[in-house]
Amino acid sequence: MPDIVWSVAGFIVAISVLVCFHEFGHYWVARTLGVKVLRFSLGFGTPFKTFVARDGVEWSIAPLPIGGYVKMLDEREGPVAPHERHLAFNNQSLAKRAAIVAAGPVFNFMLAIALYWLVFVIGTEGLKPLIAQPPAGSVAASAGLQAGDEIVAVDGEVVQTWAVLGTDLIERVLDGGNLPLTVQSKGGVPREVSLDVSKVRVDPEVLFDDLGLSPYEPMAPPVLTQILKGSPAEAAGLQEGDRVLSLDGAAINSPSQLVSWVRAHPGAIAEIEIDRGGERSKRRVVLETTQTEGKAYGRLGSGVATPPDLWQDLRAERRLDSLAAIPAAAEQTWRMSWLTLRMLGRMVIGDVSVKNVSGPIQIAQVAGDSARVGLVSFLSFMAIVSVSLGVLNLLPVPVLDGGHLLLFAIEGVKGRPLSERAMAASQYLGFAFIGTLMVLAFYNDIMRLI
């Protein structure tokens, strides 16, 4: 299946489920509290499918799957018959209106817990948190960490895979100070190591570079895959299955070494030594130069891999029984929610680059990639996005659920709603914020594609 089909299908499925849950939260609580619901729409635009239920609620599907809405009876949006005034949203108590508005984000968090529960019960596979040789001068190198060391615990909390370790490290770097690790060398006894993370940048783009931590790779010549037409690799006569042994005399012992060498030599004329079917040969390759954010990088024009059996001893699995998975899923949802909020705060003060903001294009790509990997990967992706939707919708920005809750809080303090003029002004500000955020997200998406 083509990549674009995976991306579009994954995006539509994920967003449809997440939006449905969010809006169903508003719908269910509104109906439970006695508010009349007129329409439940999945997507925006002119509906292409509409169904009117026996209770009079209009269910519709619209062509733009980037959101949805629940329309309730409200005197501010149209005339309401006298006998139905008690069913209108605007005539409900402050507590009921707040509950209806908050239900959307709450249902997103509930969905995230359910998704994480499934992930933990099914089980997740990943790489053991073994590290590659830290670069000289890095925080990890200064602490004495070596290639092949396994990080078995962070501040006393056991870690089983690199994915778990990555989240733990980001959280602890945000705290600053010293980071205690429990490390074990192959065949050795665990030892305690402390990393000074006070000067480590919290931006995920550079955080792991500053720490000097990256996954360990088995020592094995990389194997070329997917030779692109018109690429330097094709011009040099390279073929899929060729094992790269060296570049300009420098031994290449892993895919990352090959990638790093090529990227560091834009436009270079290099001698590449390969093994093809047991026969060694040398070829001349002229690397291309590509530009990314103003920096020049080399390009060979091929994929790279290692024999899959080399990774068997580095795999780890995390699986919980159905009962143990409940508190674990709730804790994971809370941790990801708090981490998302903290990263947004650091983005506001400039510690984290706004380049980390992703839009529909990037989300679709990640959705497609996770769907191709498998069910657990796709469920994990949906859980993360559901958490993000819950957190973002609770931000105190007019037009978002959090903005409505803020206005309700002001109403509670003042004893009356804001004036129509103030409400309109807040709406304009909210739309301006959302519009600016969407432009930034699309810009970042396009720049990543370029």
Side-chain angles (χ1 to χ4, degrees):
M1 186 183 295
D3 289 350
I4 190 171
V5 176
W6 277 107
S7 296
V8 172
F11 178 79
I12 292 177
V13 171
I15 294 300
S16 296
V17 172
L18 298 177
V19 170
C20 266
F21 252 82
H22 180 95
E23 298 303 331
F24 185 77
H26 294 311
Y27 167 85
W28 185 80
V29 174
R31 292 291 300 267
T32 300
L33 296 179
V35 176
K36 183 175 182 178
V37 176
L38 304 178
R39 181 184 301 128
F40 185 112
S41 177
L42 174 61
F44 294 111
T46 303
F48 58 80
K49 183 67 175 179
T50 299
F51 167 75
V52 179
R54 292 182 178 179
D55 57 7
V57 178
E58 180 182 294
W59 299 79
S60 63
I61 301 177
L64 296 177
I66 56 174
Y69 63 92
V70 172
K71 183 178 181 180
M72 290 169 273
L73 190 68
D74 195 313
E75 291 179 317
R76 297 167 299 180
E77 298 181 4
V80 175
H83 69 280
E84 288 189 322
R85 289 190 70 252
H86 67 288
L87 302 177
F89 175 81
N90 65 291
N91 289 327
Q92 306 305 309
S93 67
L94 190 60
K96 286 186 177 181
R97 282 180 282 147
I100 293 170
V101 169
V106 169
F107 268 56
N108 276 131
F109 296 131
M110 292 170 60
L111 175 60
I113 293 174
L115 291 171
Y116 278 128
W117 180 86
L118 279 173
V119 168
F120 293 150
V121 169
I122 296 173
T124 58
E125 284 192 352
L127 292 177
K128 293 180 181 178
L130 276 71
I131 66 170
Q133 182 63 41
S138 66
V139 174
S142 300
L145 296 181
Q146 300 288 330
D149 283 347
E150 181 178 0
I151 300 175
V152 296
V154 176
D155 198 11
E157 183 177 338
V158 175
V159 294
Q160 296 170 308
T161 65
W162 255 100
V164 176
L165 174 63
T167 302
D168 285 351
L169 290 176
I170 294 174
E171 287 181 327
R172 298 313 193 280
V173 170
L174 285 169
D175 294 334
N178 290 320
L179 173 59
L181 301 177
T182 303
V183 180
Q184 181 174 346
S185 301
K186 187 175 182 180
V189 296
R191 68 184 191 275
E192 299 301 319
V193 174
S194 180
L195 302 184
D196 180 8
V197 299
S198 59
K199 296 182 180 180
V200 173
R201 291 169 290 179
V202 299
D203 193 322
E205 289 188 335
V206 296
L207 184 149
F208 291 96
D209 291 337
D210 287 358
L211 287 172
L213 296 176
S214 60
Y216 174 81
E217 286 190 84
M219 300 295 281
V223 177
L224 299 183
T225 62
Q226 299 176 334
I227 306 298
L228 302 179
K229 290 185 178 181
S231 67
E234 184 185 54
L238 301 177
Q239 298 178 6
E240 289 192 24
D242 287 347
R243 296 166 65 94
V244 179
L245 304 177
S246 68
L247 277 163
D248 274 354
I252 302 297
N253 297 313
S254 69
S256 63
Q257 285 185 336
L258 173 61
V259 172
S260 297
W261 198 99
V262 170
R263 284 172 62 85
H265 295 80
I269 301 175
E271 184 180 69
I272 183 170
E273 183 181 9
I274 62 171
D275 181 316
R276 181 180 295 169
E279 295 186 4
R280 295 192 176 196
S281 63
K282 295 181 179 179
R283 298 171 183 271
R284 178 174 173 271
V285 60
V286 182
L287 300 178
E288 288 182 355
T289 300
T290 61
Q291 295 283 334
T292 302
E293 297 181 358
K295 296 182 180 179
Y297 297 99
R299 177 178 177 271
L300 180 60
S302 73
V304 59
T306 54
D309 57 341
L310 293 176
W311 296 94
Q312 292 305 315
D313 292 338
L314 301 182
R315 296 185 183 278
E317 183 182 54
R318 183 190 186 193
R319 178 179 285 121
L320 301 175
D321 63 59
S322 56
L323 289 179
I326 296 174
E331 180 187 7
Q332 182 70 2
T333 299
W334 163 251
R335 290 182 63 183
M336 294 305 298
S337 300
W338 181 231
L339 180 60
T340 300
L341 191 59
R342 295 179 74 185
M343 294 300 287
L344 286 173
R346 291 302 185 99
M347 195 176 295
V348 170
I349 63 177
D351 285 347
V352 175
S353 173
V354 293
K355 294 177 182 178
N356 290 285
V357 176
S358 298
I361 298 174
Q362 176 71 4
I363 294 173
Q365 289 180 328
V366 177
D369 292 341
S370 62
R372 278 194 299 271
V373 171
L375 176 62
V376 171
S377 176
F378 188 62
L379 293 176
S380 298
F381 161 77
M382 287 182 60
I384 293 173
V385 178
S386 191
V387 166
S388 299
L389 286 176
V391 171
L392 291 175
N393 270 284
L394 284 176
L395 294 179
V397 177
V399 311
L400 296 180
D401 293 330
H404 291 300
L405 293 174
L406 175 62
L407 295 178
F408 292 158
I410 295 174
E411 179 182 340
V413 172
K414 293 182 61 178
R416 65 180 185 280
L418 290 177
S419 66
E420 291 187 6
R421 183 176 180 180
M423 292 282 287
S426 68
Q427 295 291 313
Y428 285 128
L429 288 174
F431 282 120
F433 174 83
I434 297 299
T436 302
L437 188 63
M438 290 301 298
V439 169
L440 174 62
F442 273 108
Y443 173 78
N444 287 342
D445 284 358
I446 293 170
M447 292 305 296
R448 291 188 187 100
L449 291 177
I450 293 176

